[in-house]
Amino acid sequence: MDEALLRSLTPNVLTVLVRRGADFAAAEDAVQDALIEALRVWPGDPPRDAKGWLITVAWRKFLDVTRVDAARRRREDLVEEEPAPGPAPAVDDTLQLYFLCAHPSLTPSSAVALTLRAVGGLTTRQIAQAYLVPEATMAQRISRAKRTVCDVRFDQPGDVATVLRVLYLVFNEGYCGDVDLAAEAIRLTRQLAAAVDHPEVAGLLALMLLHHARRAARTAADGSLVPLAEQDRGRWDTALIAEGVGILQAALARDRLGEFQAQAAVAALHADAPTAEETDWVQIVEWYDELARLTDSPVVRLNRAVAVGEADGPRAGLAALAQLDASLPRYAAVAAYLHERDGDLATAARLYAEAAHKAPNLAERDHLTRQAARLNTRRRR
C-alpha cells in the first residue's frame, strides 16, 4: 500500500467533491472514509485508476450521508416531540420501507442492520453497539446485505418479526443513545399494531410506551442522568403507563408469550411500584427467567443479575454476574452497583471508573464518573 500516493491524491479528490456540490466539511469526511476503505481494499485488489477509484468511493459515501441526514430531517419534521396517544391517524411510506428492507433474500440479522442504516438513519457504529459486535464486522454485514439486494426485486416484503426487531433497536437507540428516534419508533409501531393483529406487536408497543412514560424524569435540570430508583415518579406520564399496561394485558391474555411482552411485563412492574423500595423484584426475576428462556441473551442475563441482587441480596447478584462474560457492555457498571450495595466501596469506585471509560455516550459516562467520585469521597471521610 503506497500511503504517499494516497496523501498526494487527497487534495485532488477533495477538490472534485467540492466542485460537484459537496460542502467542504462533508467532503473532507467522505474523503477520509474513502481513504480508510482504500487501506482496507487496495492491498488485495489494487485499482487500475487510483484517483478515479477514490473519487467514486468518496462521492458515494458523501451521497449516503446526505441521504441519511435528509431522511432524518424529514422524519423530525413529521414527528412531534411526544407521541400522540391512540391509533396513528395516518400511514406514510416509512413502515413499508421497513418491510421492503427486510427482504426474504436476507438473513434476519442482515435485514435488520440494512434497515437501521438505510431507513432508520443510525450509524454503523450505533448498529454495531446494539449487536455487541465490532464496527468493522457490522460494516461488512451491511455491505454484504446491500450487494445481496442490489439486483433483486422488492416485491416480497419481509416478515413481521424482522420489522419488530428493527423498530425495537431504533427505539432503544432513541431512548438510550445520542439520536432521538424514540417518538418515531412509537409512531411506526402504532401503525404496525393497527395493521397487524399479533401479540408481539402489541408487546413491543406496550414496552415502548412504558419506557417512554419515564422520559421526563430520566434527566435532571443540568442534563445528568437520574437512575430509576431516584426518579421523581410524579413526573412519569400516567396516561402512557395506563395505555401501555392495557395493551400488555390484552396481549398476555392471548397466551402467546414472546420476548417483547416479557420485557413489557418487567417495565410494567417498575411502573406499578409507588416507590423504588416497593418494587416487586421477585416477580421481575421470574420475568427475566422467562426472557432468558426465550432469548438466551447475555444482556437479559446481565439485567437479571441486577434483579437478583435486589430480590436476594447483592452477593446473590454478584454470583449471578460471575457466570457472565466480563466484556459485556455495562458489565462493569452492574458489578460496581452490586459491590457498592455489598459495602465494598473501593472495588465499586474502581469499577464505576472503568465503566465510565467504556460508556457508549457522554451522559452515561458523566453519571458513572460522578458515582466513582462520590464513593471515593465517602472513603476519604
Side-chain angles (χ1 to χ4, degrees):
M1 168 62 65
D2 190 345
E3 296 188 16
L5 173 63
L6 287 177
R7 285 195 296 271
S8 68
L9 291 174
T10 297
N12 293 330
V13 177
L14 184 59
T15 300
V16 171
L17 263 64
V18 172
R19 285 177 177 172
R20 288 185 178 184
D23 66 86
F24 190 80
E28 279 190 316
D29 289 343
V31 172
Q32 289 300 316
D33 287 343
L35 294 175
I36 293 171
E37 186 73 3
L39 291 171
R40 186 181 68 84
V41 172
W42 285 11
D45 185 19
R48 294 190 181 91
D49 178 4
K51 179 181 175 181
W53 189 99
L54 284 172
I55 291 172
T56 299
V57 172
W59 185 246
R60 286 175 179 169
K61 290 185 178 294
F62 166 75
L63 291 178
D64 284 345
V65 171
T66 301
R67 279 193 291 266
V68 168
D69 287 345
R72 182 181 297 130
R73 285 195 296 271
R74 286 195 298 271
R75 286 193 298 271
E76 290 172 350
D77 289 340
L78 289 171
V79 180
E80 296 179 355
E81 183 176 359
E82 292 299 324
V91 177
D92 59 25
D93 294 334
T94 308
L95 188 59
Q96 183 63 20
L97 287 174
Y98 274 63
F99 273 97
L100 292 177
C101 283
H103 196 271
S105 62
L106 297 172
T107 64
S109 61
S110 294
V112 170
L114 177 62
T115 312
L116 289 171
R117 186 71 182 91
V119 187
L122 303 190
T123 66
T124 303
R125 175 174 297 178
Q126 290 166 337
I127 301 168
Q129 288 174 343
Y131 271 89
L132 310 180
V133 300
E135 184 177 355
T137 300
M138 183 53 65
Q140 292 175 354
R141 184 179 300 177
I142 294 172
S143 295
R144 285 196 299 269
K146 289 179 179 178
R147 289 196 297 270
T148 299
V149 301
C150 67
D151 295 322
V152 301
R153 293 179 59 190
F154 284 91
D155 55 1
Q156 293 179 280
D159 65 357
V160 172
T162 301
V163 174
L164 283 177
R165 177 62 50 189
V166 176
L167 289 169
Y168 172 74
L169 290 175
V170 169
F171 175 82
N172 194 56
E173 182 60 39
Y175 188 75
C176 302
D178 300 323
V179 184
D180 188 1
L181 295 171
E184 169 71 347
I186 291 174
R187 184 181 71 86
L188 293 173
T189 306
R190 286 192 188 281
Q191 289 185 4
L192 185 59
V196 177
D197 182 22
H198 192 291
E200 272 295 80
V201 176
L204 178 58
L205 179 57
L207 174 64
M208 289 179 174
L209 295 175
L210 289 164
H211 277 300
H212 206 67
R214 303 199 297 261
R215 183 185 185 93
R218 289 186 68 245
T219 54
D222 61 0
S224 60
L225 289 181
V226 180
L228 177 61
E230 300 172 19
Q231 288 177 15
D232 178 0
R233 300 187 178 216
R235 300 183 65 195
W236 290 1
D237 189 326
T238 55
L240 280 183
I241 290 173
E243 184 185 4
V245 169
I247 292 170
L248 173 63
Q249 289 174 338
L252 291 175
R254 300 175 66 174
D255 199 23
R256 290 168 56 193
L257 183 64
E259 63 171 299
F260 295 125
Q261 294 170 73
Q263 286 191 57
V266 171
L269 286 167
H270 284 298
D272 187 54
T275 65
E277 293 74 21
E278 295 174 88
T279 303
D280 190 345
W281 286 106
V282 172
Q283 193 172 167
I284 287 176
V285 171
E286 292 174 355
W287 277 112
Y288 274 126
D289 288 338
E290 288 288 345
L291 263 173
R293 180 182 62 80
L294 289 166
T295 67
D296 195 29
S297 164
V299 175
V300 167
R301 297 187 185 279
L302 187 68
N303 291 332
R304 180 185 178 277
V306 176
V308 169
E310 298 289 352
D312 300 326
R315 294 196 178 182
L318 287 168
L321 187 66
Q323 301 174 27
L324 304 177
D325 186 344
S327 66
L328 276 172
R330 297 186 172 91
Y331 180 101
V334 170
Y337 173 74
L338 292 171
H339 277 291
E340 180 184 357
R341 289 202 58 224
D342 195 38
D344 187 350
L345 302 189
T347 300
R350 175 179 58 79
L351 288 168
Y352 275 130
E354 178 184 330
H357 180 70
K358 299 176 180 177
N361 57 67
L362 181 61
E364 190 170 333
R365 186 190 71 191
D366 289 347
H367 169 71
L368 292 166
T369 300
R370 282 193 294 270
Q371 296 293 86
R374 173 180 58 82
L375 293 188
N376 284 326
T377 299
R378 283 179 58 187
R379 290 172 56 218
R380 286 193 293 267
R381 288 176 181 170

